[in-house]
Amino acid sequence: VAADDLLQGGEGLAAVPEKQADFKRAVAEAVAYANILQPDAINILAGCCFNPSRLTAYEATFKDNLRYALEHFSPLGTNTVFEAINTVDMPDFMVSSSQHMLALLAKINHPKLLMQYDCYHMQTMQEENLADFIARHAHQIGHIQFADCPHRHEPNTGDMDYSLLFNAIKDSNYQGWVGAEYKPLHNTLASLEWLRNI
């Protein structure tokens, strides 16, 4: 779903109370694409809240919008996913930990709502062992993506243990895709050398 001005430094779309009509239009557009592309999942980025006094209202709006998205994506067989973004790269992002994601899953309690688990963001937060979390919560994850830490480049350029991580995914009951989302140090082809060592 469109994120509005999030990537340009704004608050985004999915949690701003004044933008709910815009969010619904974005969902309608996503449904039109989903009918053609038939994706496994559609990601809803929570966005930021720059005014702490409005955080409660933003959180309520985000939950309402997740429910709205579920109503429209679930009949297509498409999961709705949302992710946590680290507070180093985006200090005001509303969902920044896996525990917050789990709490939202519990509150909304819908079988088609799942986490998008971004290993780079969670490693940056340094709040959990990624392999252990995936092993315990694979059934609640709809998509996994990765980049090395701390600079978000390809595997084996930072401090992430990819042998441990990929083995944990392989040994879990995770059924979805695993996507590389990194900034290549040189060019894309050269950055794929890590694949030879999996």
Side-chain angles (χ1 to χ4, degrees):
V1 171
D4 195 45
D5 59 357
L6 180 65
L7 299 183
Q8 290 75 47
E11 291 188 317
L13 185 62
V16 182
E18 293 79 12
K19 293 183 178 181
Q20 279 194 285
D22 294 332
F23 180 82
K24 290 178 179 179
R25 282 191 288 271
V27 167
E29 184 177 33
V31 166
Y33 282 111
N35 276 315
I36 299 167
L37 301 173
Q38 300 181 346
D40 292 334
I42 296 177
N43 186 20
I44 308 292
L45 285 165
C48 298
C49 178
F50 296 153
N51 183 347
S53 70
R54 302 196 69 200
L55 184 58
T56 299
Y58 275 51
E59 289 177 341
T61 299
F62 183 53
K63 285 183 280 190
D64 286 346
N65 283 340
L66 284 175
R67 292 185 182 100
Y68 183 85
L70 284 161
E71 289 175 10
H72 290 78
F73 298 153
S74 298
L76 308 177
T78 300
N79 291 322
T80 298
V81 297
F82 64 101
E83 65 180 304
I85 304 291
N86 76 76
T87 54
V88 177
D89 292 341
M90 200 169 284
D92 297 298
F93 200 80
M94 289 185 48
V95 181
S96 61
S97 72
S98 59
Q99 295 307 309
H100 194 171
M101 288 194 290
L102 289 172
L104 283 165
L105 289 179
K107 286 176 184 174
I108 295 174
N109 191 27
H110 192 290
K112 300 294 282 182
L113 181 65
L114 300 167
M115 291 180 280
Q116 177 161 306
Y117 193 75
D118 190 307
C119 299
Y120 163 76
H121 288 301
M122 295 301 90
Q123 179 85 350
T124 301
M125 294 300 288
Q126 297 184 345
E127 293 179 354
E128 68 207 17
N129 180 292
L130 306 187
D132 288 348
F133 185 87
I134 290 169
R136 291 196 314 272
H137 298 287
H139 63 290
Q140 295 173 290
I141 298 173
H143 183 70
I144 295 174
Q145 55 197 39
F146 61 87
D148 218 328
C149 288
H151 301 298
R152 205 170 189 170
H153 299 310
E154 59 266 32
N156 304 320
T157 59
D159 57 18
M160 194 176 292
D161 186 338
Y162 278 93
S163 175
L164 182 65
L165 178 64
F166 289 151
N167 282 328
I169 295 169
K170 185 166 55 175
D171 293 341
S172 74
N173 64 352
Y174 176 66
Q175 300 296 310
W177 292 93
V178 178
E181 189 193 50
Y182 58 76
K183 298 178 287 188
L185 270 175
H186 303 291
N187 61 64
T188 299
L189 187 60
S191 82
L192 295 173
E193 283 296 313
W194 60 271
L195 280 165
R196 298 181 188 276
N197 302 314
I198 292 182

